[in-house]
Amino acid sequence: MMKFRFRRQGADPQREKLKQELFAFHKTVEHGFPNQPSALAFDPELRIMAIGTRSGAVKIYGAPGVEFTGLHRDAATVTQMHFLPGQGRLLTLLDDSSLHLWEIIHHNGCAHLEEGLSFHPPSRPSFDNASFPASLTRVTVVLLVAGNTAALGTESGSIFFLDVATLALLEGQTLSPDVVLRSVPDDYRCGKALGPVESLQGHLQDPSKILIGYSRGLLVIWSQATQSVDNVFLGNQQLESLCWGRGGSSIISSHSDGSYAIWSTDTGSPPTLQPTVVTTPYGPFPCKAINKILWRSCESGDHFIIFSGGMPRASYGDRHCVSVLRAETLVTLDFTSRVIDFFTVHSTQPADEFDNPQALAVLLEEELVVLDLQTPGWPAVPAPYLAPLHSSAITCSAHVANVPSKLWARIVSAGERQSPQPASSALSWPITGGRNLAQEPSQRGLLLTGHEDGTVRFWDASGVALRPLYKLSTAGLFQTDCEHADSLAQAVEDDWPPFRKVGCFDPYSDDPRLGIQKVALCKYTAQMVVAGTAGQVLVLELSEFPAEHAVSVANVDLLQDREGFTWKGHERLNPHTGLLPWPAGFQPRMLIQCLPPAAVTAVTLHAEWSLVAFGTSHGFGLFDYQRKSPVLARCTLHPNDSLAMEGPLSRVKSLKKSLRQSFRRIRKSRVSGKKRAPAASSKEANAQLAEQTCPHDLEMTPVQRRIEPRSADDSLSGVVRCLYFADTFLRDATHHGPTMWAGTNSGSVFAYALEVPAATAGGEKRPEQAVEAVLGKEVQLMHRAPVVAIAVLDGRGRPLPEPYEASRDLAQAPDMQGGHAVLIASEEQFKVFTLPKVSAKTKFKLTAHEGCRVRKVALATFASVMSEDYTETCLACLTNLGDVHVFSVPGLRPQVHYSCIRKEDISGIASCVFTRHGQGFYLISPSEFERFSLSARNITEPLCSLDISWPQNATQPSHRLQESPKLSQANGTRDIILAPESCQGSPSSAHSKRADTTEPPEATLSPVSIDSAASGDTMLDTTGDVTVEYVKDFLGSPEDSEKNLRNLEADDACRAYTLLIK
């Protein structure tokens, strides 16, 4: 029998208009350090810096908040970058020897980056590209000469000249190796080639002179004005780098044997046979090559010589170092990642006699370090952005919005005490180009990241620049081997060479059990809960002064003496006993140790009740940290759930069993599918009949997929996925009170009624009576899908305020007159139950309708772009396919959905965290967060300008190849590729077509760039761990994949924004 239902005709135009005012998807900015950097450039006139990456990305940075991003069409490595000083133009060289000219263009008062022209040399000589010489196929070095000319050094030794304005070769100006060899003595030639051009350097006083260095070691000063060789320096050691002295009277060269040489240019026309000085700084034993060297003069007379590499090959060949030499002072800067490039911030005016360097910027593979060269000791300058998020691997993240100004100031003060600047240091961040046009945020947002080494880092996520504020370390509470390792490192630093550890990137953890799994922060009481891999739960409190006190320890047995279970995982961490010194900042007050010491999977804090709830793969517990006593411990293990006893360090058996069960389900579904084949054919006939008989303007219930119920004894079914506190109706409809909710991996929900002594009027703390917990309700979801989130809605269908918000009149008091409801989100569906009866009210089967599973869920407040007073609270969810869906609350009607993350990017999906005002973050690489917005009003994106002064002889390009695509993930996805613009700047047909559609525009609105201060906010967290559940999504037969693809295409073709509740 044919079954389908009709719904209301068409879509409501008013509602569709309102959706466009509320929702819009933008990928706005990337926070953190660029993944796999490969090139560096600096414009001393505009004070901006550019970083190129191996994926073809171009990022330009100026003052905090001034950022420009671009992406080359081809995913090739950026090998060199050169600014045209003061013009806002950047010339990039890729590893395929192609050249690209980028421009910073101003439009409507704001600047953005666009690619103007490109030049592709031929890959091999042929009849089609006969106009190009064969020796141009491999460009090794680029130099910007005076005016609009670029010199291209090649692998063959030839030097070509290019017109930068048009990126066209200049005829008749090619310098071949044969011309240079005419000025070289016969005994130096001896049949050997000069080799590739290794370095090209321009003369600051006389731009017509070019210093050329060949790989063989020959140095030549070429005059463009006279088209002749002025000086020849006969070096015999393989050349690596060159640098011209300030006045042009000296040249310094670095070589592959770890030496550098100084040559004098005042010797006249005869060839110079020997340098004036030859030094091997770390000799006499064999050393590695000095890859780059700089010579900077100072007015005091003591010059700077800065070089990378050159370390003794046998002893320290694996070190990543930059050495700074001034007079008799030598400092070997020891980094933990490979040196990419470096530059100095110094005077570049031709009228100045000395360089007088102010700062040294070193780009490493994992971080950027800036040193103050004007202050004794050369201290590091704190970076306002580009901080390495992955200084230790990120294991979890959380976001807190609307942070009170008092708490913000206390956190900033604690962070400043951790890295005090020398009193004599007057140098601030030297990269200060451009102006940030974004409005000052009216409220502050915190991004918290937990790390593998047991630290929690606090970041200012209020604007475009993600600024580090404070670092909390939990390792000092536990007994580890870090003290011994530090002593060994100190012993090494005292020896020769004079190593100095610089930078904060440290990927190695002293103990994997220190890893942070969950964090929770109360922004009104400055109390915090940090949970780790070995079952440790720390309760901390912010203090403005250093202190020395002992930390109380309590053990909570979650197995409740259940027999037949033996923990096979790691041991617990042993805490230090007695009085311990604690610096200013968050100081631990209580340590709760879960037994067995499994990783904590869920945690929540209620500071007003002085309660903390935590869960692991064995069960959950409730602890009263005011009385320092446990309230509740509940075991959630199934009798067959033995894998939960193996711990995270024994996951091989778990993965094998999971794969085995997945293949069993696949075979079972295939068999059942064959049995249902006749029924399926009848359903197809009914569907065709329905299409013939139904009016086309009516919507039908979407086809629901068959969901296989999960077995009760699935592995890890007892994992606690979420915990939640609420003041609601659980026992009866007339009396409300404190409750605690817990959801597990097997679809079980436990609701406990709590007896919490009420605080006296005006008192901050409650009385010392014991807290009691009584099981009030227990719900088992069909299909046993894991419970992802739980939230209680008041009588108006709004989420309950956070602790202290209602009592301190910081948010609208909840409606306690109407009936409350609880929203339970599982991996397969969302369901609203009435309270206290816990009867189903409405639901939406996401897996049945969309063929995907829920990974992350959050309640968010969306403000209208037309009126800030109009807001809606909606449910935002991220699926395993990388799509973001938004549903109305409490009706659970689909509003919009967007493709956000590649479905293959499992770590990105696992790391996603939503904010309470329609924004979100997810990792696109180990070192970068992509920020996106679902709100049409609350958008945080770069809004900046740059003062560009064009020289009189410079010509602006008349056309542009492409508008810079929105810089996509470091994993290679290009989400937005814009079509080329015409010469007159008119938009292409793709732009006009998108503007005519009824869907909300994806990148047209750019209003206020902050989260609006609406209702209260809870802290949302996420873990970066990739579990077996994430991998299961990619297991299936080809038939299932094709079927799901057809269903998804059919759903996308006729997607309805309304919901029919069965």
Side-chain angles (χ1 to χ4, degrees):
M1 179 180 177
M2 180 177 61
K3 289 185 178 180
F4 58 89
R5 304 181 192 179
F6 295 103
R7 286 186 278 183
R8 58 184 174 80
Q9 296 187 3
D12 184 4
Q14 292 292 346
R15 182 60 192 172
E16 294 302 318
K17 180 182 178 181
L18 188 57
K19 286 181 184 179
Q20 296 186 21
E21 297 174 357
L22 290 171
F23 312 110
F25 181 70
H26 305 263
K27 286 187 178 180
T28 55
V29 67
E30 294 176 359
H31 297 301
F33 185 77
N35 187 43
Q36 297 180 329
S38 58
L40 177 69
F42 179 68
D43 188 337
E45 296 187 19
L46 295 180
R47 291 277 179 147
I48 55 177
M49 175 185 65
I51 295 178
T53 70
R54 292 173 60 182
S55 62
V58 176
K59 298 190 175 185
I60 298 178
Y61 301 92
V66 178
E67 294 185 13
F68 306 95
T69 58
L71 186 65
H72 290 90
R73 290 182 178 272
D74 300 326
T77 300
V78 181
T79 57
Q80 294 183 38
M81 311 174 76
H82 302 273
F83 275 108
L84 277 70
Q87 300 182 24
R89 293 197 288 175
L90 178 71
L91 188 65
T92 60
L93 172 67
L94 305 186
D95 60 354
D96 61 358
S97 293
S98 64
L99 291 167
H100 303 261
L101 184 63
W102 296 82
E103 296 179 81
I104 297 177
I105 305 298
H106 284 77
H107 180 67
N108 293 335
C110 295
H112 61 278
L113 185 65
E114 293 185 8
E115 182 180 352
L117 299 170
S118 64
F119 171 78
H120 295 267
S123 58
R124 61 181 64 88
S126 64
F127 293 104
D128 296 335
N129 47 39
S131 59
F132 290 95
S135 57
L136 186 55
T137 57
R138 179 80 172 90
V139 179
T140 56
V141 64
V142 177
L143 171 68
L144 293 176
V145 194
N148 280 324
T149 306
L152 309 180
T154 64
E155 197 171 32
S156 64
S158 300
I159 299 175
F160 299 86
F161 293 90
L162 197 72
D163 182 13
V164 176
T166 59
L167 288 191
L169 287 176
L170 297 178
E171 299 291 340
Q173 296 192 24
T174 302
L175 176 61
S176 66
D178 297 335
V179 177
V180 176
L181 285 173
R182 296 171 190 167
S183 304
V184 175
D186 295 337
D187 57 346
Y188 186 83
R189 303 178 194 175
C190 62
K192 292 183 180 180
L194 297 180
V197 179
E198 289 291 341
S199 181
L200 294 174
Q201 298 293 324
H203 195 292
L204 185 62
Q205 307 292 339
D206 187 358
S208 65
K209 292 185 178 182
I210 302 175
L211 175 62
I212 306 171
Y214 294 92
S215 177
R216 180 179 169 184
L218 177 67
L219 311 182
V220 174
I221 296 180
W222 174 261
S223 174
Q224 273 287 90
T226 62
Q227 293 288 302
S228 62
V229 175
D230 287 354
N231 298 81
V232 176
F233 306 91
L234 304 179
N236 291 309
Q237 187 61 42
Q238 181 177 339
L239 182 69
E240 295 290 335
S241 175
L242 280 177
C243 183
W244 214 329
R246 178 77 181 190
S249 60
S250 300
I251 298 170
I252 187 168
S253 61
S254 65
H255 303 277
S256 61
D257 62 346
S259 66
Y260 68 84
I262 300 177
W263 307 76
S264 175
T265 61
D266 299 332
T267 57
S269 57
T272 302
L273 302 179
Q274 295 293 333
T276 57
V277 176
V278 178
T279 304
T280 304
Y282 297 105
F285 300 104
C287 297
K288 300 192 71 174
I290 295 180
N291 302 313
K292 180 177 180 178
I293 192 166
L294 295 179
W295 188 3
R296 298 291 180 250
S297 61
C298 296
E299 194 170 358
S300 61
D302 296 330
H303 305 316
F304 278 95
I305 296 179
I306 307 170
F307 59 89
S308 62
M311 303 306 298
R313 187 177 297 273
S315 304
Y316 304 105
D318 58 342
R319 296 291 187 97
H320 311 289
C321 299
V322 171
S323 301
V324 182
L325 175 63
R326 186 181 187 188
E328 300 299 325
T329 303
L330 173 64
V331 174
T332 307
L333 305 175
D334 188 12
F335 302 100
T336 55
S337 59
R338 185 169 59 93
V339 178
I340 304 298
D341 201 355
F342 58 93
F343 65 84
T344 58
V345 179
H346 62 279
S347 172
T348 57
Q349 298 297 327
D352 295 337
E353 185 178 356
F354 299 98
D355 294 312
N356 291 326
Q358 305 169 11
L360 169 65
V362 183
L363 176 65
L364 307 163
E365 196 169 32
E366 306 293 350
E367 61 182 324
L368 177 74
V369 177
V370 176
L371 299 179
D372 180 4
L373 297 181
Q374 295 178 324
T375 303
W378 305 329
V381 180
Y385 51 83
L386 284 178
L389 299 174
H390 64 317
S391 53
S392 176
I394 297 177
T395 52
C396 68
S397 56
H399 183 269
V400 186
N402 303 332
V403 178
S405 57
K406 183 177 180 181
L407 173 62
W408 187 270
R410 295 175 65 188
I411 293 176
V412 171
S413 175
E416 291 174 349
R417 296 185 183 184
Q418 289 182 332
S419 56
Q421 286 297 102
S424 58
S425 178
L427 180 67
S428 57
W429 185 250
I431 304 166
T432 58
R435 296 192 310 275
N436 183 14
L437 303 180
Q439 296 183 4
E440 187 69 20
S442 60
Q443 57 86 30
R444 299 292 184 178
L446 272 179
L447 181 65
L448 311 180
T449 55
H451 298 265
E452 190 181 28
D453 61 352
T455 59
V456 178
R457 286 172 168 82
F458 292 63
W459 308 88
D460 179 5
S462 308
V464 172
L466 191 68
R467 183 168 61 99
L469 298 179
Y470 169 73
K471 182 178 76 171
L472 162 67
S473 178
T474 62
L477 179 60
F478 302 102
Q479 300 176 11
T480 61
D481 297 332
C482 58
E483 295 88 356
H484 180 62
D486 291 342
S487 62
L488 292 178
Q490 186 64 36
V492 172
E493 289 180 1
D494 295 338
D495 297 336
W496 175 264
F499 287 116
R500 172 185 161 190
K501 286 286 184 182
V502 182
C504 60
F505 177 73
D506 184 10
Y508 307 106
S509 174
D510 297 311
D511 194 326
R513 297 175 295 174
L514 291 172
I516 306 300
Q517 295 298 321
K518 296 291 177 181
V519 292
L521 173 67
C522 177
K523 58 189 178 184
Y524 300 113
T525 60
Q527 294 178 348
M528 186 177 183
V529 173
V530 176
T533 304
Q536 69 271 26
V537 180
L538 277 172
V539 180
L540 307 101
E541 189 171 357
L542 184 59
S543 176
E544 299 176 3
F545 306 100
E548 186 175 354
H549 60 80
V551 178
S552 303
V553 181
N555 298 327
V556 177
D557 185 9
L558 297 179
L559 290 181
Q560 296 295 293
D561 299 327
R562 184 173 295 192
E563 298 180 356
F565 291 91
T566 304
W567 174 247
K568 303 176 184 178
H570 49 248
E571 298 292 331
R572 57 178 290 182
L573 285 166
N574 294 319
H576 290 290
T577 57
L579 297 177
L580 298 174
W582 303 105
F586 281 93
Q587 300 172 355
R589 304 294 181 183
M590 188 75 206
L591 170 61
I592 307 165
Q593 180 62 56
C594 301
L595 297 176
V600 178
T601 57
V603 73
T604 186
L605 170 69
H606 201 294
E608 194 169 2
W609 300 338
S610 300
L611 296 177
V612 58
F614 47 88
T616 68
S617 57
H618 306 120
F620 56 89
L622 181 63
F623 195 87
D624 180 358
Y625 60 86
Q626 179 177 322
R627 299 185 68 252
K628 301 180 181 180
S629 62
V631 178
L632 169 68
R634 171 70 182 260
C635 182
T636 57
L637 283 178
H638 189 271
N640 297 332
D641 195 359
S642 59
L643 290 178
M645 308 307 295
E646 296 178 358
L649 303 183
S650 178
R651 300 298 294 274
V652 178
K653 295 180 180 179
S654 174
L655 182 60
K656 287 182 178 179
K657 182 176 179 181
S658 175
L659 293 173
R660 186 165 56 250
Q661 292 176 348
S662 299
F663 284 116
R664 286 176 182 173
R665 281 196 291 268
I666 291 172
R667 288 195 296 268
K668 182 179 178 181
S669 62
R670 286 177 177 175
V671 174
S672 59
K674 293 178 180 179
K675 293 180 180 179
R676 295 192 303 269
S681 60
S682 63
K683 288 185 178 180
E684 292 178 0
N686 291 338
Q688 294 177 0
L689 180 61
E691 291 181 0
Q692 297 175 2
T693 57
C694 294
H696 294 284
D697 58 343
L698 298 184
E699 300 175 0
M700 293 188 300
T701 304
V703 178
Q704 295 189 13
R705 293 161 178 81
R706 182 176 182 272
I707 306 301
E708 292 288 343
R710 308 188 186 198
S711 174
D713 60 349
D714 272 354
S715 61
L716 303 178
S717 62
V719 176
V720 178
R721 296 288 295 271
C722 60
L723 293 162
Y724 179 70
F725 285 115
D727 184 357
T728 186
F729 301 90
L730 186 62
R731 294 177 174 175
D732 54 58
T734 57
H735 301 89
H736 62 86
T739 61
M740 187 198 74
W741 301 72
T744 71
N745 221 31
S746 60
S748 300
V749 177
F750 304 94
Y752 283 83
L754 307 179
E755 292 290 342
V756 181
T760 58
E764 290 291 331
K765 292 187 177 181
R766 60 174 176 79
E768 291 293 331
Q769 288 89 354
V771 177
E772 296 181 1
V774 179
L775 181 62
K777 305 289 182 182
E778 185 173 346
V779 180
Q780 179 62 57
L781 300 181
M782 293 182 62
H783 297 158
R784 301 183 178 274
V787 179
V788 179
I790 301 173
V792 173
L793 310 175
D794 66 3
R796 293 186 295 265
R798 299 177 179 177
L800 298 182
E802 292 305 297
Y804 285 110
E805 284 187 339
S807 60
R808 298 183 180 181
D809 296 329
L810 300 173
Q812 185 179 2
D815 182 7
M816 291 299 188
Q817 303 301 323
H820 283 198
V822 58
L823 170 62
I824 299 178
S826 72
E827 284 191 357
E828 296 179 358
Q829 67 177 356
F830 309 119
K831 206 164 187 177
V832 175
F833 297 88
T834 61
L835 290 176
K837 293 183 178 180
V838 193
S839 58
K841 184 178 180 181
T842 183
K843 64 182 177 181
F844 183 84
K845 299 179 180 179
L846 186 68
T847 302
H849 292 167
E850 305 293 339
C852 54
R853 296 186 184 276
V854 178
R855 286 292 174 254
K856 302 293 177 181
V857 167
L859 288 170
T861 301
F862 293 87
S864 172
V865 73
M866 303 301 295
S867 173
E868 189 177 2
D869 296 332
Y870 180 80
T871 61
E872 288 188 9
T873 300
C874 298
L875 179 71
C877 85
L878 176 70
T879 71
N880 63 327
L881 301 180
D883 297 332
V884 177
H885 298 253
V886 178
F887 299 87
S888 64
V889 174
L892 296 182
R893 290 182 171 84
Q895 302 301 303
V896 290
H897 88 279
Y898 307 102
S899 178
C900 182
I901 311 174
R902 294 184 307 118
K903 65 178 181 180
E904 297 84 6
D905 188 6
I906 302 176
S907 60
I909 295 173
S911 63
C912 181
V913 56
F914 290 103
T915 74
R916 282 297 181 178
H917 300 294
Q919 297 194 35
F921 304 83
Y922 68 92
L923 287 173
I924 56 175
S925 72
S927 60
E928 290 175 289
F929 272 111
E930 174 80 60
R931 187 172 192 147
F932 64 91
S933 175
L934 303 174
S935 172
R937 185 178 188 88
N938 300 317
I939 305 173
T940 303
E941 61 182 353
L943 298 174
C944 49
S945 65
L946 196 64
D947 295 329
I948 299 175
S949 58
W950 286 83
Q952 294 181 358
N953 58 348
T955 58
Q956 301 188 28
S958 59
H959 65 280
R960 301 165 195 144
L961 286 183
Q962 68 165 5
E963 186 175 347
S964 170
K966 178 66 185 173
L967 184 61
S968 62
Q969 295 84 348
N971 53 25
T973 313
R974 285 165 169 78
D975 289 318
I976 304 177
I977 300 295
L978 300 182
E981 289 188 354
S982 62
C983 297
Q984 291 77 17
S986 59
S988 64
S989 58
H991 290 266
S992 59
K993 181 177 179 181
R994 186 182 65 176
D996 295 337
T997 59
T998 58
E999 289 292 323
E1002 293 197 355
T1004 54
L1005 301 175
S1006 53
V1008 222
S1009 62
I1010 47 168
D1011 290 344
S1012 63
S1015 63
D1017 168 343
T1018 58
M1019 191 197 55
L1020 307 165
D1021 67 349
T1022 176
T1023 178
D1025 291 342
V1026 179
T1027 63
V1028 176
E1029 294 296 327
Y1030 285 88
V1031 184
K1032 286 181 180 179
D1033 301 327
F1034 301 94
L1035 300 176
S1037 63
E1039 294 83 355
D1040 295 337
S1041 302
E1042 293 177 1
K1043 181 180 178 182
N1044 289 336
L1045 182 60
R1046 288 195 300 270
N1047 290 333
L1048 286 175
E1049 291 175 350
D1051 291 346
D1052 291 337
C1054 51
R1055 184 174 303 280
Y1057 287 100
T1058 55
L1059 171 67
L1060 182 63
I1061 303 173
K1062 285 188 176 180

